[in-house]
Amino acid sequence: MPKKIMIVDDSRIAQLQLQEIFSDTDYQVVACCQNGEEALEKILALKPDLCLMDIKMPKKNGIEVVQA
């Protein structure tokens, strides 16, 4: 079973680049989010194995998400 990855970045270009990097691996990108609030909801719902997250984002930044 592939490991689940979630990408959190307000840059759509960064999201697409990371998805491309992981496309030929044993990892599965299960979600992409553009802000911290959306990330918190999806983390609880999807329970990814790894979350790649930007620090500077609207609504909640990466540090606030990790603290929550």
Side-chain angles (χ1 to χ4, degrees):
M1 185 157 136
K3 297 288 184 185
K4 299 184 292 184
I5 295 177
M6 189 170 89
I7 299 168
V8 185
D9 198 309
D10 56 331
S11 166
R12 184 69 182 137
I13 293 170
Q15 289 178 10
L16 293 171
Q17 288 174 331
L18 287 166
Q19 285 180 301
E20 179 65 28
I21 289 169
F22 289 106
S23 67
D24 292 329
T25 68
D26 292 334
Y27 298 93
Q28 176 188 9
V29 176
V30 293
C32 289
C33 305
Q34 292 194 335
N35 64 64
E37 287 181 359
E38 183 183 358
L40 280 174
E41 291 174 17
K42 289 193 178 185
I43 287 169
L44 294 173
L46 299 172
K47 301 193 184 332
D49 297 299
L50 176 66
C51 186
L52 300 174
M53 188 167 6
D54 191 7
I55 291 177
K56 293 184 179 180
M57 295 183 295
K59 299 187 180 180
K60 285 189 183 287
N61 66 41
I63 302 295
E64 293 170 323
V65 174
V66 170
Q67 290 173 336

